[in-house]
Amino acid sequence: AGRVPAVRWLAYGPAVLWAAFLLYIGQLEFGPGSSGWVPPDKLVHGVLYGILGGLLAAGRRRAGARPGPGLLLLAGALVGLVDEWAQQFVPTRSSDPLDWIADLAGVLTGFLLVAALGRRRAGP
């Protein structure tokens, strides 16, 4: 009793893979030798974590609305927090609380957009 079927957890596979990708790229060393146009840092954080939020919302829909949105948003926030914490140990990176705020905004925005689209598709 109370056990969640494995299939339900598989619905979050894309979100877990994206979170792993985010943590991986967060540990890459970027140097001043980067060439070409580089988008604003906070925008990049918002977009990348917006994708995570959208994947969490899509997973929730596939999993039958479990767990609740608060837990999923907390999970997205924790991915960003771990990423920022770990970046302080990468020589060419730094940990910035404002980056984490951008991560949070992205997770929330992506989650709300995909959840709203899902409700719209489901109809009244």
Side-chain angles (χ1 to χ4, degrees), residues 43-73:
L43 176 64
V44 171
H45 279 265
V47 169
L48 292 176
Y49 278 84
I51 293 169
L52 177 60
L55 291 172
L56 288 168
R60 183 172 188 266
R61 188 173 55 242
R62 287 189 304 271
R66 291 194 183 159
L71 186 61
L72 294 174
L73 292 170

Side-chain angles (χ1 to χ4, degrees), residues 13-89:
V16 170
L17 290 174
W18 187 256
F21 172 72
L22 291 174
L23 293 173
Y24 169 73
I25 64 170
Q27 303 314 299
L28 296 177
E29 293 188 31
F30 295 109
S34 299
S35 61
W37 181 77
V38 178
D41 181 54
K42 305 306 180 258
L43 176 64
V44 171
H45 279 265
V47 169
L48 292 176
Y49 278 84
I51 293 169
L52 177 60
L55 291 172
L56 288 168
R60 183 172 188 266
R61 188 173 55 242
R62 287 189 304 271
R66 291 194 183 159
L71 186 61
L72 294 174
L73 292 170
L74 177 62
L78 287 175
V79 172
L81 186 63
V82 167
D83 186 31
E84 287 306 314
W85 173 80
Q87 284 182 14
Q88 66 185 324
F89 304 107

